[in-house]
Structure formats: structure tokens, C-alpha cells
């Protein structure tokens, strides 16, 4: 008779499935934005994404038995965080995708870790950066430059690309 599955072993066997579902959800966002832009503006899309996300979070908090924060200072910090990591990037991506293909938008959004390292180093949050991290950052930013192709008159350089890059920096 096989041994009963533990919670940890079950989590390990379902991990690839969970990662695949997560990749499908995150990766398809740009396609959904492209489709939504056929009937809605960037601000409407941003509002809908933010409102749906907030509704899901409220339901999860209620189901867990927890309460929403009550302090004004907590809500101020949450508001700033929501603006910088949700509202601003959502709006920039939706606006940028009016002139940029969803695949390119996805690639540009994937530069978020590069910008995180650069901004954290420049702002002094990250005091020490390993040389290999700098090499990786430069290679990654070089790849982004290849997408922009400023030396090629037919390159994709546009305000839309800059908007999506701004979203990646804001994240």
C-alpha cells in the first residue's frame, strides 16, 4: 500500500502545474489588454483591473477572518504603493499597447527585475551589488536596446515603448 501523501509532497507535485497556470495568467495579460483596447480606453482598463484586484483582495481578507487595516498612515502607505505598483504601470501599459504589439509589451515588462536592481542601487536601498549582477544588468539592458533599435529607422521606437518601459520602472 502506498504511503499517504503529505501536504509538502502534494505541493511539490502540483508546483509545475501552479507555475504553468501563473505563467498563463501573467503572460496572457498583454493579449487581454490588446483585446480590451478595442472597446475601452487605457483609463477604463486600469480602473477595471484595479477594482477587480481590490475586490479579490477584500474577499480573501474576509474569508481568512482577518480585518482590513484601520490606521490612516497604513492606508496612506497602501495608497502610494498601489499607485506606483498598480495604477501607474497599468495605465502606462494600456496606453503603450495602443501602438505596441502585445508580445513586445510582454518582453519590455519582463525588464522589471533589471530596473529593480538599477533603481535600488541608484537610490541607495541596495548598497552592495555583485559584479555578476552588474554584468547581468548590462546584458539585459543591451537586449532592451536591441528592441528599441535606435540605429534602425524602421525600429519599434515609439512613445508606446517608452510608456511600457516606464511601467516596468514603476513596478
Amino acid at each position: 500500500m502506498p504511503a499517504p501523501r503529505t501536504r509538502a509532497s502534494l505541493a511539490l507535485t502540483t508546483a509545475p502545474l501552479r507555475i504553468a497556470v501563473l505563467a498563463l495568467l501573467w503572460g496572457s495579460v498583454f493579449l487581454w489588454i490588446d483585446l480590451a483596447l478595442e472597446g475601452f480606453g487605457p483609463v477604463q482598463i486600469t480602473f477595471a483591473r484595479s477594482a477587480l484586484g481590490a475586490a479579490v483582495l477584500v474577499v480573501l481578507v474576509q474569508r481568512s477572518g482577518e480585518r482590513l487595516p484601520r490606521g490612516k498612515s497604513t492606508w496612506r502607505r497602501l495608497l502610494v504603493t498601489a499607485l506606483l505598483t498598480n495604477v501607474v504601470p497599468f495605465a502606462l501599459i494600456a496606453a503603450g499597447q495602443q501602438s505596441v504589439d502585445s508580445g513586445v509589451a510582454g518582453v519590455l515588462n519582463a525588464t522589471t527585475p533589471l530596473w529593480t536592481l538599477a533603481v535600488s542601487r541608484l537610490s541607495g536601498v541596495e548598497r552592495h551589488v555583485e559584479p555578476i549582477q552588474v554584468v547581468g544588468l548590462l546584458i539585459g539592458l543591451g537586449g532592451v536596446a536591441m528592441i528599441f533599435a535606435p540605429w534602425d529607422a524602421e525600429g519599434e521606437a515609439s512613445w508606446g515603448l517608452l510608456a511600457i518601459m516606464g511601467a516596468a520602472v514603476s513596478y
Side-chain angles (χ1 to χ4, degrees):
M1 172 181 248
R5 291 188 147 205
T6 65
R7 188 175 209 157
S9 68
L10 185 59
L12 285 175
T13 58
T14 61
L17 177 62
R18 288 200 247 157
I19 289 172
V21 168
L22 188 59
L24 178 66
L25 291 173
W26 275 349
S28 66
V29 165
F30 302 99
L31 171 64
W32 294 115
I33 290 171
D34 231 7
L35 294 172
L37 282 168
E38 292 178 14
F40 300 101
V43 173
Q44 293 168 310
I45 293 170
T46 300
F47 179 79
R49 286 184 72 184
S50 299
L52 286 171
V56 168
L57 288 176
V58 166
V59 168
L60 291 175
V61 166
Q62 287 178 341
R63 288 188 72 200
S64 72
E66 297 291 328
R67 292 185 348 190
L68 291 172
R70 298 204 185 272
K72 288 182 184 179
S73 67
T74 301
W75 279 104
R76 274 194 297 273
R77 286 190 299 252
L78 288 172
L79 178 63
V80 169
T81 301
L83 286 172
L84 291 176
T85 63
N86 291 99
V87 175
V88 169
F90 289 177
L92 287 172
I93 289 170
Q97 276 195 245
Q98 291 177 314
S99 64
V100 173
D101 180 71
S102 62
V104 174
V107 169
L108 292 175
N109 187 63
T111 65
T112 298
L114 301 174
W115 296 113
T116 300
L117 178 62
V119 168
S120 67
R121 179 63 180 114
L122 292 173
S123 68
V125 171
E126 184 70 43
R127 297 192 195 292
H128 178 72
V129 178
E130 296 293 328
I132 193 70
Q133 290 174 304
V134 174
V135 170
L137 177 66
L138 294 174
I139 290 171
L141 292 176
V144 173
M146 296 293 285
I147 292 172
F148 275 102
W151 54 86
D152 182 6
E154 295 181 36
E156 295 246 359
S158 70
W159 69 269
L161 286 173
L162 294 174
I164 294 168
M165 289 298 292
V169 172
S170 183
Y171 278 133

